[in-house]
Amino acid sequence: MPELPEVETIKSQLAQRIKSKTIKKVEIKLAKMVRGANVKDFEKKVVGTKIKDIKRRAKLLLIELSNGYSLVIHLKLTGQLIYNPISNIQYLTSKYTHIIYYFTDGSKLLHNDMRQFGYVKLVKTKDLPKLFKEEKFGPEPLDKDFTLEKFKSLLKEKGRAKIKPLLMNQTFVAGIGNVYAQEACFNAKIKPTRTAGSLTNKEVKDLYERLKKILREAIKHKGSSVDTYVDAEGKQGGYVSFLKVYRREGKKCLRCGAKIKSIRLAGRGTCFCPKCQI
DNA sequence: GTACTTGTTGAACG
DNA sequence: TCGTTCAACAAGTA
């Protein structure tokens, strides 16, 4: 499922491929994918605009248009954005293809979503900071200003919260989901049920460093395809083979050989090693 | 048929 | 107020 590294991968691939292209037509096959505007209005505003820039905030993909609006896309669990470079191919089009953006050069962008949880909405580009404020997004973990000191003080604020669900809380840090929260805890040898306030200085430092490292490595390998995720080229993300605990319950811990346990935490499946995650 | 998966939201509970 | 749990959304897998 697209978390920070997956959305970041799609962002940079799309930036290379569709920047400065003009949208000739939009085909909306499933109206509920479009939020906050009726389909006609959405089409009217989008058609004829040029792609100015592609950005990311948390798990949101932002496509800035030349008319002062931005497409704000959330892929949720099973969303895909796939670029088809040639006009006469229907690459990875399926019954889950809900929106198609046609460019004037004949290429197109597919928005697929098997479970229909995701959405696209039109927001005035100048209102984006307001939107992020409303969403109360926490800091971007790979930003320069997300320092160890910052992480420490944020953890202190949330001292009674359990660490793994806290990492997934978008208002705490932005972009981490169930996969990378589990991986970060495993890598830092921290049991997911520990409270933020109970972490020692060394554990906080380890968690901070591992988290950033995992995210960077995952971006390098174009994300993790654990479900239906593919990148903008329709290819699977290569980081899956580096995942150490996610969905590995019952299997041997890759660090100490103990049996990986699975529990439910804040309603989410959570795997960890009962022996080496303290 | 049943349980389970997941990101986010919103409600309910202690 | 705060943190946690659960239901809801949907559709596929085991």
Side-chain angles (χ1 to χ4, degrees), chain A residues 34 36-47 69 122:
Chain A
V34 177
N38 67 58
V39 167
K40 282 247 156 64
D41 201 41
F42 180 86
E43 283 178 3
K44 215 166 139 186
K45 287 206 172 88
V46 169
V47 169
Y69 282 88
L122 261 182

Side-chain angles (χ1 to χ4, degrees), chain A residues 5-256:
Chain A
E6 289 78 25
V7 182
E8 185 67 24
T9 299
I10 293 171
K11 183 206 84 179
S12 29
Q13 291 179 334
L14 285 184
Q16 282 175 38
R17 287 163 181 78
I18 67 168
K19 216 186 244 184
S20 79
K21 288 195 197 296
T22 302
I23 300 174
K24 186 171 73 181
K25 191 176 103 179
V26 190
E27 189 181 346
I28 298 163
K29 301 183 180 204
L30 188 66
K32 72 164 181 175
M33 296 291 292
V34 177
R35 300 279 169 85
N38 67 58
V39 167
K40 282 247 156 64
D41 201 41
F42 180 86
E43 283 178 3
K44 215 166 139 186
K45 287 206 172 88
V46 169
V47 169
T49 63
K50 221 170 164 176
I51 310 290
K52 265 180 86 177
D53 205 1
I54 322 259
K55 290 174 180 160
R56 180 192 61 77
R57 177 73 171 105
K59 297 172 194 167
L60 291 176
L61 190 82
L62 314 162
I63 303 182
E64 197 184 331
L65 305 175
S66 55
N67 65 346
Y69 282 88
S70 285
L71 295 171
V72 177
I73 299 173
H74 201 309
L75 298 171
K76 294 281 176 93
L77 310 180
T78 53
Q80 303 173 326
L81 283 170
I82 303 168
Y83 178 66
N84 283 13
I86 307 164
S87 59
N88 60 0
I89 63 159
Q90 295 288 329
Y91 181 50
L92 293 178
T93 306
S94 70
K95 60 176 174 174
Y96 306 123
T97 303
H98 305 311
I99 302 175
I100 306 178
Y101 302 86
Y102 296 86
F103 299 108
T104 49
D105 68 350
S107 64
K108 48 188 174 281
L109 180 66
L110 314 177
H111 185 166
N112 300 349
D113 196 336
M114 187 176 78
R115 293 184 211 172
Q116 308 173 9
F117 275 18
Y119 62 80
V120 55
K121 63 179 170 185
L122 261 182
V123 178
K124 283 186 181 140
T125 302
K126 71 171 175 55
D127 288 342
L128 286 177
K130 201 169 80 189
L131 174 74
F132 302 150
K133 217 170 181 179
E134 280 164 12
E135 297 273 358
K136 297 193 175 87
F137 285 138
E140 284 289 331
L142 297 180
D143 264 11
K144 278 196 299 285
D145 56 353
F146 184 68
T147 59
L148 176 59
E149 287 311 310
K150 174 96 185 157
F151 187 50
K152 251 183 208 168
S153 73
L154 286 172
L155 283 171
K156 209 172 172 183
E157 268 175 44
K158 296 280 180 186
R160 288 183 306 270
K162 292 192 167 89
I163 189 62
K164 188 257 178 177
L166 184 60
L167 288 174
M168 289 173 68
N169 183 342
Q170 301 304 298
T171 69
F172 179 71
V173 280
I176 318 287
N178 204 16
V179 177
Y180 297 105
Q182 292 178 51
E183 293 299 312
C185 288
F186 177 85
N187 272 269
K189 301 186 188 176
I190 295 166
K191 193 184 272 189
T193 50
R194 290 270 299 280
T195 60
S198 74
L199 302 186
T200 64
N201 275 337
K202 188 188 178 307
E203 284 172 331
V204 171
K205 187 165 178 277
D206 281 350
L207 186 57
Y208 173 81
E209 282 167 1
R210 298 303 182 132
L211 178 65
K212 300 219 320 182
K213 189 167 180 248
I214 289 165
L215 294 175
R216 283 208 191 93
E217 291 280 306
I219 291 170
K220 211 165 88 187
H221 291 92
K222 301 186 167 70
S224 308
S225 290
V226 287
D227 208 346
T228 57
Y229 166 78
V230 290
D231 65 16
E233 297 178 338
K235 292 180 184 152
Q236 306 231 320
Y239 194 70
V240 218
S241 53
F242 296 91
L243 296 176
K244 297 199 173 91
V245 269
Y246 181 74
R247 284 196 191 166
R248 288 198 72 248
E249 65 268 31
K251 297 189 175 148
K252 274 186 179 172
C253 171
L254 295 171
R255 193 163 41 210
C256 75

